[in-house]
Amino acid sequence: MRLVVTGGAGFVGSHLVDKLIFSGHEVVVIDNLITGSDRNLTLNKNLTFIEQNVAEYIDVEGKVDWVLHLASPASPADFKRIPIPILKAGSMGTINALGLAKAKKAKFLLASTSEVYGDPQEHPQKESYVGHVDCTSPRAAYDEAKRFAEAVTMAYYRFHNIDVRIVRIFNTYGPRMRTDDGRVVSNFVTQAIANKPITVYGDGTQTRSFQYISDLVEGILKLMESSYHLPVNIGNPHEFTVMELAKIVKRLTNSESEIIFKPLPEADPKCRRPDISVAKNILKWEPKVELQEGLKKTVEYYKSLKVGSA
Ligand code: UDP
């Protein structure tokens, strides 16, 4: 197959691209490198890279079987720093990517997010939960962009008969997250390796459920193989407090770091855990990599970057 992957130079996108290339497919990556890096792309005759913002009209020559729309900054640190590019990637970017799928008669996959549930009042979160998002909070740039992205994807499905998939991705970690990404796993691991203070925001009682990148890639591929067009949660339902994560990372790295407290970012969700019944029943998917195992691989990655050495 020939697939277009927007955001293919990013953390999730590049792992997916690697898997597609490994499986013998041809891939065209479109990425403006706002948070991705061309270092994430391995040179291959089946890989073409177009450096472009998806919020601008996109065109690709030749046949296209799939458009996988993953382009968007995804760290809460980015929500504050670059909210307008995020809103454009989720709105205009999704329309452009859907337009490409329509023109090429290609199938379409949207990378959506657990952030569509906001600060959830239902726990764990099922796909049927409509969410609890404050549309004027600093997080809204990402949350509302992705909610709009889902809405426009469903409109193209209903109105133009585009064959769509929507994956709601829960907290995911692993190699290739930027060291300055700002999300909790990359922050804690890089801080611990460098023996710098581990920064817990708030009192650390808020929870998240952490999924290793290879599990997410498997989930996306299974969703593509299915014919299910409604949103599907892909995440690891094993839930931890942020303080538990800090202690696990500190222990795994034999770190001398102290754990310090910083203010909780505005609108930070208090809890998050996916209900993955739909993925289990329809895709026959469930995550395989437990937190300690995935963290060990992530620690090795950051050590190989010489994080923390002078
Ligand atoms: N967090 C933290 N210290 C950090 C970075 C994040 O305590 O250095 C917390 C953050 O406040 C949130 C959780 O970890 O409660 C997960 O944050 P992340 O930015 O990874 O993603 P989110 O799930 O909020 O989108």
Side-chain angles (χ1 to χ4, degrees):
M1 290 194 299
R2 187 158 186 263
L3 305 95
V4 171
V5 183
T6 79
F11 162 53
V12 173
S14 66
H15 284 281
L16 183 58
V17 168
D18 281 355
K19 187 82 183 187
L20 293 169
I21 295 276
F22 182 76
S23 308
H25 300 300
E26 198 183 324
V27 177
V28 179
V29 166
I30 303 179
D31 199 305
N32 66 348
L33 306 180
I34 189 170
T35 50
S37 167
D38 49 9
R39 284 193 306 272
N40 291 335
L41 296 172
T42 319
L43 212 58
N44 187 289
K45 66 172 176 31
N46 288 329
L47 178 65
T48 310
F49 174 49
I50 301 173
E51 188 171 341
Q52 201 207 301
N53 186 348
V54 287
E56 282 147 29
Y57 175 77
I58 49 182
D59 192 19
V60 173
E61 278 182 18
K63 76 147 192 169
V64 175
D65 300 295
W66 274 95
V67 177
L68 312 179
H69 181 42
L70 282 78
S72 177
S75 168
D78 297 329
F79 306 168
K80 273 171 106 174
R81 190 173 64 88
I82 42 172
I84 293 167
I86 289 174
L87 281 155
K88 288 184 178 173
S91 56
M92 292 137 80
T94 305
I95 292 174
N96 288 338
L98 280 160
L100 179 66
K102 179 169 172 271
K104 299 288 179 181
K105 299 187 172 32
K107 296 180 184 180
F108 178 85
L109 177 134
L110 171 69
S112 185
T113 169
S114 55
E115 288 280 332
V116 298
Y117 303 122
D119 187 7
Q121 310 291 292
E122 180 181 302
H123 194 70
Q125 294 79 53
K126 288 194 182 79
E127 288 85 349
S128 55
Y129 177 50
V130 293
H132 182 237
V133 175
D134 172 358
C135 61
T136 58
S137 90
R139 288 184 95 90
Y142 187 65
D143 300 10
E144 295 293 7
K146 289 293 189 184
R147 289 171 69 91
F148 175 85
E150 288 198 12
V152 72
T153 298
M154 289 308 294
Y156 271 68
Y157 166 74
R158 295 194 183 102
F159 197 75
H160 290 308
N161 296 316
I162 307 275
D163 194 357
V164 304
R165 309 284 184 277
I166 299 174
V167 52
R168 288 189 181 152
I169 301 172
F170 282 66
N171 291 68
T172 304
Y173 67 95
R176 296 190 190 155
M177 288 184 95
R178 285 163 21 231
T179 46
D180 63 351
D181 176 278
R183 275 178 282 190
V184 69
V185 172
S186 48
N187 272 7
F188 284 4
V189 171
T190 54
Q191 290 162 344
I193 293 173
N195 288 313
K196 290 188 176 148
I198 296 176
T199 54
V200 168
Y201 299 163
D203 62 7
T205 56
Q206 71 272 36
T207 68
R208 294 292 185 274
S209 310
F210 300 101
Q211 155 173 253
Y212 190 63
I213 181 67
S214 58
D215 283 332
L216 171 60
V217 169
E218 283 305 315
I220 290 174
L221 294 174
K222 290 227 164 132
L223 180 59
M224 288 167 68
E225 283 163 16
S226 81
S227 53
Y228 192 74
H229 63 271
L230 291 171
V232 180
N233 291 338
I234 296 288
N236 191 318
H238 201 157
E239 185 178 5
F240 296 84
T241 67
V242 165
M243 182 52 94
E244 282 170 336
L245 176 71
K247 289 180 180 162
I248 294 169
V249 169
K250 187 171 149 123
R251 198 178 58 239
L252 275 180
T253 51
N254 292 318
S255 174
E256 287 159 20
S257 297
E258 58 169 330
I259 295 177
I260 63 165
F261 295 93
K262 295 234 175 171
L264 191 68
E266 197 182 324
D268 197 279
K270 282 179 278 307
C271 60
R272 186 180 290 150
R273 170 155 58 101
D275 180 315
I276 58 166
S277 319
V278 172
K280 273 186 174 168
N281 293 336
I282 293 179
L283 310 183
K284 310 290 175 230
W285 172 91
E286 60 184 314
K288 298 192 186 103
V289 184
E290 275 309 329
L291 184 64
Q292 308 249 354
E293 187 189 342
L295 280 177
K296 278 186 195 156
K297 293 183 187 170
T298 309
V299 167
E300 286 317 308
Y301 169 74
Y302 285 114
K303 281 190 174 164
S304 75
L305 298 182
K306 309 262 183 283
V307 168
S309 57

Short mmCIF file of all heavy atoms in Angstrom, two decimals, residues 186-229:
data_model
loop_
_atom_site.label_atom_id
_atom_site.label_comp_id
_atom_site.label_asym_id
_atom_site.label_seq_id
_atom_site.Cartn_x
_atom_site.Cartn_y
_atom_site.Cartn_z
N SER A 186 8.81 11.75 30.04
CA SER A 186 10.10 12.26 29.56
C SER A 186 10.72 13.20 30.61
O SER A 186 11.94 13.17 30.83
CB SER A 186 9.95 12.95 28.20
OG SER A 186 8.87 13.84 28.21
N ASN A 187 9.91 14.01 31.27
CA ASN A 187 10.46 14.87 32.33
C ASN A 187 11.07 14.05 33.45
O ASN A 187 12.24 14.24 33.82
CB ASN A 187 9.35 15.76 32.94
CG ASN A 187 9.18 17.06 32.18
OD1 ASN A 187 9.77 17.26 31.13
ND2 ASN A 187 8.36 17.95 32.70
N PHE A 188 10.30 13.10 33.99
CA PHE A 188 10.79 12.35 35.16
C PHE A 188 12.04 11.53 34.80
O PHE A 188 13.00 11.50 35.57
CB PHE A 188 9.70 11.41 35.69
CG PHE A 188 8.60 12.10 36.47
CD1 PHE A 188 8.56 13.48 36.60
CD2 PHE A 188 7.60 11.35 37.09
CE1 PHE A 188 7.54 14.11 37.31
CE2 PHE A 188 6.58 11.97 37.81
CZ PHE A 188 6.54 13.35 37.92
N VAL A 189 12.03 10.88 33.65
CA VAL A 189 13.18 10.03 33.29
C VAL A 189 14.43 10.88 33.08
O VAL A 189 15.50 10.57 33.61
CB VAL A 189 12.87 9.16 32.05
CG1 VAL A 189 14.12 8.45 31.55
CG2 VAL A 189 11.78 8.14 32.37
N THR A 190 14.29 11.98 32.35
CA THR A 190 15.49 12.80 32.09
C THR A 190 15.97 13.46 33.39
O THR A 190 17.17 13.57 33.62
CB THR A 190 15.24 13.87 31.00
OG1 THR A 190 14.09 14.64 31.34
CG2 THR A 190 15.01 13.23 29.64
N GLN A 191 15.04 13.87 34.24
CA GLN A 191 15.44 14.46 35.53
C GLN A 191 16.16 13.42 36.39
O GLN A 191 17.21 13.70 36.99
CB GLN A 191 14.20 14.98 36.27
CG GLN A 191 13.58 16.21 35.61
CD GLN A 191 12.14 16.49 36.06
OE1 GLN A 191 11.47 15.64 36.64
NE2 GLN A 191 11.66 17.70 35.76
N ALA A 192 15.60 12.21 36.43
CA ALA A 192 16.18 11.16 37.29
C ALA A 192 17.58 10.77 36.81
O ALA A 192 18.50 10.62 37.62
CB ALA A 192 15.26 9.94 37.31
N ILE A 193 17.73 10.64 35.50
CA ILE A 193 19.05 10.25 34.97
C ILE A 193 20.10 11.31 35.30
O ILE A 193 21.25 11.01 35.60
CB ILE A 193 18.98 10.04 33.44
CG1 ILE A 193 18.12 8.82 33.10
CG2 ILE A 193 20.36 9.86 32.84
CD1 ILE A 193 17.86 8.66 31.61
N ALA A 194 19.68 12.57 35.27
CA ALA A 194 20.62 13.68 35.52
C ALA A 194 20.75 13.99 37.01
O ALA A 194 21.43 14.95 37.39
CB ALA A 194 20.15 14.92 34.76
N ASN A 195 20.08 13.18 37.86
CA ASN A 195 20.06 13.44 39.31
C ASN A 195 19.57 14.84 39.65
O ASN A 195 20.01 15.45 40.62
CB ASN A 195 21.43 13.18 39.93
CG ASN A 195 21.74 11.69 39.97
OD1 ASN A 195 20.90 10.88 40.38
ND2 ASN A 195 22.92 11.32 39.51
N LYS A 196 18.68 15.35 38.82
CA LYS A 196 18.06 16.66 39.09
C LYS A 196 16.70 16.41 39.77
O LYS A 196 16.15 15.31 39.67
CB LYS A 196 17.84 17.42 37.78
CG LYS A 196 19.15 17.88 37.17
CD LYS A 196 18.89 18.80 35.99
CE LYS A 196 20.22 19.33 35.46
NZ LYS A 196 20.18 19.55 34.01
N PRO A 197 16.13 17.43 40.44
CA PRO A 197 14.85 17.20 41.13
C PRO A 197 13.77 16.71 40.17
O PRO A 197 13.65 17.19 39.04
CB PRO A 197 14.50 18.59 41.67
CG PRO A 197 15.79 19.30 41.77
CD PRO A 197 16.65 18.79 40.65
N ILE A 198 13.00 15.73 40.64
CA ILE A 198 11.85 15.22 39.89
C ILE A 198 10.65 16.10 40.24
O ILE A 198 10.28 16.22 41.41
CB ILE A 198 11.58 13.74 40.24
CG1 ILE A 198 12.78 12.88 39.79
CG2 ILE A 198 10.29 13.25 39.61
CD1 ILE A 198 12.68 11.41 40.16
N THR A 199 10.08 16.73 39.20
CA THR A 199 9.05 17.77 39.43
C THR A 199 7.65 17.19 39.39
O THR A 199 7.09 16.96 38.31
CB THR A 199 9.18 18.86 38.34
OG1 THR A 199 9.13 18.22 37.06
CG2 THR A 199 10.47 19.65 38.47
N VAL A 200 7.07 16.97 40.56
CA VAL A 200 5.67 16.53 40.64
C VAL A 200 4.79 17.78 40.67
O VAL A 200 5.00 18.66 41.51
CB VAL A 200 5.44 15.66 41.89
CG1 VAL A 200 3.95 15.45 42.14
CG2 VAL A 200 6.16 14.33 41.75
N TYR A 201 3.84 17.86 39.74
CA TYR A 201 2.93 19.00 39.73
C TYR A 201 1.75 18.71 40.64
O TYR A 201 1.18 17.61 40.58
CB TYR A 201 2.43 19.29 38.30
CG TYR A 201 3.50 19.64 37.30
CD1 TYR A 201 3.24 19.58 35.92
CD2 TYR A 201 4.77 20.04 37.69
CE1 TYR A 201 4.21 19.90 34.97
CE2 TYR A 201 5.76 20.36 36.75
CZ TYR A 201 5.47 20.28 35.40
OH TYR A 201 6.43 20.59 34.46
N GLY A 202 1.35 19.71 41.44
CA GLY A 202 0.27 19.50 42.41
C GLY A 202 0.77 18.58 43.52
O GLY A 202 1.97 18.54 43.81
N ASP A 203 -0.15 17.79 44.11
CA ASP A 203 0.27 16.90 45.20
C ASP A 203 0.60 15.49 44.72
O ASP A 203 0.92 14.62 45.51
CB ASP A 203 -0.80 16.87 46.31
CG ASP A 203 -2.14 16.32 45.80
OD1 ASP A 203 -2.20 15.85 44.65
OD2 ASP A 203 -3.13 16.39 46.56
N GLY A 204 0.49 15.28 43.41
CA GLY A 204 0.88 13.98 42.84
C GLY A 204 -0.19 12.90 42.99
O GLY A 204 0.05 11.74 42.67
N THR A 205 -1.38 13.27 43.46
CA THR A 205 -2.44 12.25 43.60
C THR A 205 -3.24 12.08 42.31
O THR A 205 -4.04 11.15 42.20
CB THR A 205 -3.43 12.60 44.75
OG1 THR A 205 -3.96 13.90 44.48
CG2 THR A 205 -2.74 12.59 46.10
N GLN A 206 -3.05 12.98 41.35
CA GLN A 206 -3.76 12.81 40.07
C GLN A 206 -3.24 11.55 39.39
O GLN A 206 -2.09 11.16 39.60
CB GLN A 206 -3.59 14.06 39.16
CG GLN A 206 -2.23 14.28 38.57
CD GLN A 206 -1.29 15.09 39.45
OE1 GLN A 206 -1.30 14.97 40.66
NE2 GLN A 206 -0.44 15.91 38.84
N THR A 207 -4.10 10.92 38.61
CA THR A 207 -3.71 9.64 38.00
C THR A 207 -3.65 9.72 36.48
O THR A 207 -4.33 10.54 35.85
CB THR A 207 -4.71 8.51 38.36
OG1 THR A 207 -5.97 8.78 37.73
CG2 THR A 207 -4.88 8.38 39.86
N ARG A 208 -2.83 8.84 35.93
CA ARG A 208 -2.78 8.62 34.49
C ARG A 208 -2.53 7.12 34.26
O ARG A 208 -2.04 6.43 35.15
CB ARG A 208 -1.63 9.42 33.83
CG ARG A 208 -1.77 10.93 33.86
CD ARG A 208 -2.92 11.44 33.00
NE ARG A 208 -2.94 12.92 32.96
CZ ARG A 208 -3.55 13.69 33.85
NH1 ARG A 208 -4.18 13.16 34.88
NH2 ARG A 208 -3.52 15.01 33.71
N SER A 209 -2.77 6.67 33.04
CA SER A 209 -2.58 5.26 32.67
C SER A 209 -1.64 5.26 31.48
O SER A 209 -1.98 5.81 30.44
CB SER A 209 -3.93 4.66 32.30
OG SER A 209 -4.86 4.95 33.32
N PHE A 210 -0.47 4.68 31.66
CA PHE A 210 0.60 4.90 30.68
C PHE A 210 0.76 3.72 29.73
O PHE A 210 0.94 2.57 30.17
CB PHE A 210 1.92 5.16 31.41
CG PHE A 210 1.85 6.38 32.29
CD1 PHE A 210 1.69 6.26 33.66
CD2 PHE A 210 1.92 7.66 31.74
CE1 PHE A 210 1.61 7.37 34.47
CE2 PHE A 210 1.84 8.79 32.54
CZ PHE A 210 1.68 8.64 33.91
N GLN A 211 0.78 4.04 28.46
CA GLN A 211 0.86 3.02 27.41
C GLN A 211 2.21 3.13 26.70
O GLN A 211 2.63 4.23 26.32
CB GLN A 211 -0.28 3.27 26.43
CG GLN A 211 -0.08 2.76 25.02
CD GLN A 211 -1.34 2.92 24.20
OE1 GLN A 211 -2.02 1.94 23.91
NE2 GLN A 211 -1.67 4.14 23.82
N TYR A 212 2.84 1.98 26.49
CA TYR A 212 4.11 1.99 25.76
C TYR A 212 3.83 2.10 24.26
O TYR A 212 2.85 1.54 23.75
CB TYR A 212 4.91 0.72 26.08
CG TYR A 212 6.32 0.78 25.54
CD1 TYR A 212 7.22 1.73 25.99
CD2 TYR A 212 6.74 -0.10 24.54
CE1 TYR A 212 8.51 1.81 25.48
CE2 TYR A 212 8.03 -0.04 24.03
CZ TYR A 212 8.90 0.92 24.51
OH TYR A 212 10.17 1.01 23.98
N ILE A 213 4.72 2.78 23.55
CA ILE A 213 4.51 3.13 22.15
C ILE A 213 4.22 1.92 21.25
O ILE A 213 3.37 2.01 20.35
CB ILE A 213 5.71 3.97 21.62
CG1 ILE A 213 5.51 4.37 20.16
CG2 ILE A 213 7.04 3.26 21.80
CD1 ILE A 213 4.40 5.34 19.92
N SER A 214 4.88 0.78 21.49
CA SER A 214 4.67 -0.36 20.59
C SER A 214 3.23 -0.88 20.69
O SER A 214 2.66 -1.36 19.71
CB SER A 214 5.67 -1.48 20.87
OG SER A 214 5.55 -1.91 22.21
N ASP A 215 2.65 -0.80 21.89
CA ASP A 215 1.25 -1.22 22.04
C ASP A 215 0.33 -0.30 21.24
O ASP A 215 -0.62 -0.76 20.60
CB ASP A 215 0.84 -1.19 23.53
CG ASP A 215 1.37 -2.39 24.29
OD1 ASP A 215 1.57 -3.45 23.68
OD2 ASP A 215 1.58 -2.26 25.51
N LEU A 216 0.60 1.00 21.29
CA LEU A 216 -0.23 1.94 20.51
C LEU A 216 -0.14 1.64 19.02
O LEU A 216 -1.16 1.60 18.32
CB LEU A 216 0.21 3.38 20.79
CG LEU A 216 -0.43 4.44 19.88
CD1 LEU A 216 -1.94 4.46 20.02
CD2 LEU A 216 0.15 5.83 20.19
N VAL A 217 1.07 1.42 18.52
CA VAL A 217 1.24 1.15 17.09
C VAL A 217 0.45 -0.10 16.69
O VAL A 217 -0.27 -0.11 15.68
CB VAL A 217 2.74 1.03 16.72
CG1 VAL A 217 2.92 0.48 15.32
CG2 VAL A 217 3.43 2.38 16.86
N GLU A 218 0.52 -1.15 17.53
CA GLU A 218 -0.26 -2.37 17.24
C GLU A 218 -1.75 -2.07 17.21
O GLU A 218 -2.48 -2.57 16.36
CB GLU A 218 0.01 -3.45 18.31
CG GLU A 218 1.33 -4.17 18.14
CD GLU A 218 1.51 -4.78 16.76
OE1 GLU A 218 0.57 -5.42 16.26
OE2 GLU A 218 2.59 -4.60 16.17
N GLY A 219 -2.20 -1.25 18.16
CA GLY A 219 -3.63 -0.89 18.23
C GLY A 219 -4.07 -0.14 16.98
O GLY A 219 -5.15 -0.40 16.42
N ILE A 220 -3.24 0.78 16.52
CA ILE A 220 -3.59 1.56 15.32
C ILE A 220 -3.68 0.63 14.10
O ILE A 220 -4.61 0.71 13.30
CB ILE A 220 -2.55 2.69 15.08
CG1 ILE A 220 -2.70 3.77 16.16
CG2 ILE A 220 -2.70 3.30 13.68
CD1 ILE A 220 -1.65 4.86 16.12
N LEU A 221 -2.71 -0.29 13.99
CA LEU A 221 -2.73 -1.21 12.83
C LEU A 221 -3.96 -2.11 12.87
O LEU A 221 -4.60 -2.35 11.84
CB LEU A 221 -1.44 -2.05 12.80
CG LEU A 221 -0.16 -1.24 12.55
CD1 LEU A 221 1.07 -2.13 12.69
CD2 LEU A 221 -0.16 -0.58 11.17
N LYS A 222 -4.33 -2.56 14.06
CA LYS A 222 -5.54 -3.41 14.17
C LYS A 222 -6.79 -2.62 13.82
O LYS A 222 -7.72 -3.14 13.19
CB LYS A 222 -5.65 -3.99 15.58
CG LYS A 222 -4.58 -5.02 15.87
CD LYS A 222 -5.19 -6.25 16.51
CE LYS A 222 -4.19 -7.39 16.42
NZ LYS A 222 -4.00 -8.08 17.65
N LEU A 223 -6.82 -1.36 14.23
CA LEU A 223 -7.97 -0.51 13.89
C LEU A 223 -8.06 -0.32 12.38
O LEU A 223 -9.14 -0.38 11.79
CB LEU A 223 -7.85 0.85 14.61
CG LEU A 223 -8.99 1.84 14.36
CD1 LEU A 223 -10.35 1.27 14.79
CD2 LEU A 223 -8.73 3.16 15.12
N MET A 224 -6.91 -0.13 11.73
CA MET A 224 -6.91 0.03 10.27
C MET A 224 -7.42 -1.23 9.59
O MET A 224 -8.11 -1.15 8.57
CB MET A 224 -5.49 0.36 9.78
CG MET A 224 -5.05 1.76 10.13
SD MET A 224 -3.27 1.99 9.88
CE MET A 224 -3.15 1.88 8.11
N GLU A 225 -7.08 -2.39 10.15
CA GLU A 225 -7.52 -3.66 9.54
C GLU A 225 -9.02 -3.90 9.74
O GLU A 225 -9.63 -4.66 9.01
CB GLU A 225 -6.77 -4.84 10.19
CG GLU A 225 -5.34 -4.98 9.68
CD GLU A 225 -4.50 -5.86 10.62
OE1 GLU A 225 -5.09 -6.58 11.47
OE2 GLU A 225 -3.27 -5.81 10.50
N SER A 226 -9.60 -3.25 10.75
CA SER A 226 -11.03 -3.44 11.03
C SER A 226 -11.86 -2.56 10.09
O SER A 226 -11.31 -1.80 9.29
CB SER A 226 -11.34 -3.05 12.48
OG SER A 226 -11.48 -1.64 12.57
N SER A 227 -13.18 -2.66 10.22
CA SER A 227 -14.01 -1.74 9.43
C SER A 227 -14.84 -0.87 10.38
O SER A 227 -15.91 -0.41 10.03
CB SER A 227 -14.92 -2.55 8.49
OG SER A 227 -15.63 -3.50 9.25
N TYR A 228 -14.31 -0.64 11.59
CA TYR A 228 -15.04 0.09 12.63
C TYR A 228 -14.78 1.59 12.48
O TYR A 228 -13.63 2.04 12.56
CB TYR A 228 -14.57 -0.41 13.99
CG TYR A 228 -15.43 0.03 15.14
CD1 TYR A 228 -16.67 -0.55 15.36
CD2 TYR A 228 -14.98 1.01 16.03
CE1 TYR A 228 -17.46 -0.15 16.43
CE2 TYR A 228 -15.76 1.42 17.09
CZ TYR A 228 -17.00 0.83 17.29
OH TYR A 228 -17.77 1.22 18.34
N HIS A 229 -15.83 2.39 12.30
CA HIS A 229 -15.61 3.80 11.99
C HIS A 229 -15.84 4.75 13.16
O HIS A 229 -15.62 5.95 13.04
CB HIS A 229 -16.50 4.21 10.81
CG HIS A 229 -17.95 4.10 11.12
ND1 HIS A 229 -18.66 2.93 10.92
CD2 HIS A 229 -18.81 4.99 11.66
CE1 HIS A 229 -19.91 3.13 11.32
NE2 HIS A 229 -20.02 4.36 11.77
#
